[in-house]
Amino acid sequence: MANITLFAQIIRLIPREIIQRLVKKHGTDKHAKGFNSWSHLVTMIFSQFSGSVSLRQISEGLQSATGNLNHLGLSRAPSKSNISYQNANRTSQFFEDVFYALFQYLGQHGSLKQMKKRLKAKVCLIDSTLMSLCLEMYDWALYTHTKGAVKMHTVLDFETLLPEFVCISNGKGADNTIAKKLHFARDTIVVADRIYSDTELLNHWDSTGVVFIVRGRDNIQFESIRERDLPDTTSQEILIDEEVRLTGVETASKYPKKIRRIGIYNVQGGYTIDLYTNDFKHAASTIATLYRSRWKIEIFFRNLKQNLHIKSFLGTSQNAVEIQIWTALITILLLQYLKRIAKHPWCLSNLTASLRLNTFTKIDLFQWINEPFSPPPDEPEIA
């Protein structure tokens, strides 16, 4: 048994010196009124771990742990009005920087890496996901004339399956526009769906030394330059591997170089897709395998939405919404870290649910995640 709760032990994974440095950088403790940046961060992470869906639930949940608040670095439980005020006024940039700093800190130990690299190059998966909002309440979150939405543009690291870049915009934020602002290191392999098959974007990536693998749109016009041989060992799903030149009125001028086209048959769906890439080195089967891995970013979005609280929001301002999304990302980062260092084969949803049930249980965290269902040792008999 331990003297502090499971939740307090998880919070202690966050180095206080990192938070203090970021507080000084952003000046987020000015006019804090007794509710400083650390208290705010812990409160919002608690809302994710506990599954609280309202400010009242957060406040009363922390009030119920009166004797354990000092272990969290809190002097008292915040009120509903205090949480609401700070969500609206404390900059979300602070929480964004906390996520990236914690990602780097935990990643230094190699504990976040779960996939063996088959390629020497860095692989990134890029996509976005929408979270619907009521336009009347969130008038800044423009999407359509009748609906509001916030969009999370994400670059997922293929090794850790965690986001190394996130940009939050309203629902009208175009994916290819955001992608043009990203900087990838030379020789990075970017895998994306058809929404990123913008020839101007592809030309930008190619000119900066980035390798792309993108699903093409159905109406792309091209002419074949030469057909590449398919080895006998090639998977039967590869239909064609050829070098082509785009011939569309706009596409030809935006991407005048040759490009590789790989036709793939999806056995489960019974349809074919075309992949376009500037990678002329790797086998067609390798490129097809990399594109299939793109679904891992969809799994990440599903885990985020199913296990954490980002389908509804605690405040209506853009700053409050962004704070809630960033604290959800911080929480899933901590959960994935625990999942990957644990000896027990946790499913992320089971780990989240078990921690939610044992938030204020006093037991050793690392012993518990390794052997969650082992009975506690017998207490010695008193003579």
Side-chain angles (χ1 to χ4, degrees):
M1 304 299 290
N3 294 325
I4 62 175
T5 62
L6 279 179
F7 182 61
Q9 293 174 72
I10 293 172
I11 291 298
R12 290 191 175 188
L13 295 174
I14 305 174
R16 289 293 290 268
E17 59 271 16
I18 290 179
I19 306 303
Q20 292 169 358
R21 173 171 54 83
L22 294 176
V23 166
K24 186 176 181 180
K25 173 185 175 183
H26 293 283
T28 50
D29 276 355
K30 293 180 181 178
H31 314 294
K33 298 182 179 180
F35 189 46
N36 62 17
S37 302
W38 173 260
S39 301
H40 192 186
L41 175 65
V42 172
T43 298
M44 293 304 294
I45 294 176
F46 170 77
S47 73
Q48 296 291 346
F49 269 99
S50 62
S52 302
V53 295
S54 68
L55 297 175
R56 181 184 295 276
Q57 288 184 8
I58 298 172
S59 180
E60 293 180 352
L62 287 171
Q63 287 175 18
S64 67
T66 305
N68 299 307
L69 291 181
N70 60 320
H71 300 304
L72 298 172
L74 305 182
S75 57
R76 57 186 173 83
S79 64
K80 295 184 301 176
S81 59
N82 214 344
I83 301 171
S84 177
Y85 176 83
Q86 294 298 347
N87 276 350
N89 293 280
R90 181 169 280 130
T91 175
S92 62
Q93 186 67 45
F94 166 74
F95 295 86
E96 178 180 349
D97 287 356
V98 169
F99 169 77
Y100 288 125
L102 191 59
F103 180 84
Q104 292 296 327
Y105 173 77
L106 296 178
Q108 288 176 357
H109 307 293
S111 302
L112 292 178
K113 295 184 179 181
Q114 70 167 14
M115 302 189 67
K116 294 181 179 179
K117 291 185 69 174
R118 300 176 182 177
L119 303 171
K120 294 181 180 180
K122 179 180 178 63
V123 180
C124 293
L125 315 176
I126 182 171
D127 206 348
S128 66
T129 186
L130 272 175
M131 287 156 276
S132 299
L133 299 172
C134 175
L135 188 58
E136 293 182 357
M137 297 179 63
Y138 301 84
D139 55 357
W140 53 269
L142 301 176
Y143 183 42
T144 67
H145 293 296
T146 57
K147 294 182 180 180
V150 63
K151 183 179 285 190
M152 191 173 75
H153 308 266
T154 306
V155 177
L156 206 70
D157 188 325
F158 184 66
E159 284 188 271
T160 63
L161 296 184
L162 286 167
E164 64 174 31
F165 172 82
V166 172
C167 176
I168 302 171
S169 71
N170 61 27
K172 286 190 174 182
D175 296 70
N176 55 350
T177 302
I178 300 296
K180 289 174 185 176
K181 299 177 182 179
L182 300 179
H183 174 73
F184 295 103
R186 193 173 186 84
D187 296 326
T188 300
I189 299 176
V190 177
V191 185
D193 202 9
R194 76 175 92 192
I195 198 168
Y196 295 92
S197 60
D198 178 350
T199 48
E200 185 177 350
L201 173 62
L202 300 184
N203 189 49
H204 168 69
W205 280 342
D206 183 76
S207 61
T208 55
V210 175
V211 178
F212 59 81
I213 301 172
V214 177
R215 180 180 176 180
R217 301 178 188 270
D218 297 333
N219 59 350
I220 291 182
Q221 299 177 12
F222 61 87
E223 62 179 7
S224 179
I225 299 175
R226 78 177 185 94
E227 189 170 335
R228 299 163 65 101
D229 294 333
L230 293 177
D232 295 336
T233 56
T234 299
S235 173
Q236 295 300 312
E237 65 181 3
I238 306 297
L239 302 178
I240 191 170
D241 181 7
E242 62 178 347
E243 296 173 11
V244 302
R245 182 179 292 107
L246 302 181
T247 59
V249 176
E250 295 186 2
T251 56
S253 59
K254 292 180 179 179
Y255 198 96
K257 294 161 282 190
K258 68 177 181 179
I259 193 170
R260 186 177 178 186
R261 170 182 170 266
I262 300 173
I264 301 174
Y265 178 71
N266 186 299
V267 179
Q268 295 179 341
Y271 57 87
T272 60
I273 62 174
D274 289 343
L275 301 182
Y276 291 88
T277 179
N278 59 344
D279 184 348
F280 295 92
K281 180 176 63 174
H282 292 105
S285 56
T286 302
I287 293 173
T289 301
L290 282 171
Y291 179 77
R292 281 196 297 269
S293 70
R294 196 200 66 80
W295 284 104
K296 295 183 183 297
I297 196 170
E298 303 290 352
I299 295 173
F300 169 78
F301 290 146
R302 184 197 64 189
N303 287 336
L304 189 66
K305 291 181 177 180
Q306 288 183 353
N307 296 298
L308 298 174
H309 180 211
I310 59 169
K311 288 185 177 180
S312 60
F313 293 91
L314 302 170
T316 57
S317 68
Q318 182 175 355
N319 194 73
V321 169
E322 291 181 356
I323 286 176
Q324 191 168 329
I325 293 175
W326 283 115
T327 48
L329 291 169
I330 292 169
T331 304
I332 203 168
L333 174 61
L334 294 170
L335 289 170
Q336 290 286 17
Y337 175 78
L338 293 174
K339 177 178 178 292
R340 292 171 192 177
I341 65 173
K343 295 179 181 178
H344 182 77
W346 286 102
C347 171
L348 185 64
S349 58
N350 290 341
L351 177 60
T352 305
S354 297
L355 283 171
R356 194 161 285 164
L357 293 170
N358 295 281
T359 302
F360 293 121
T361 301
K362 292 185 177 181
I363 191 171
D364 183 82
L365 171 65
F366 298 102
Q367 179 182 347
W368 180 79
I369 62 173
N370 290 332
E371 299 176 351
F373 305 113
S374 298
D378 296 332
E379 295 184 2
E381 297 182 1
I382 300 176

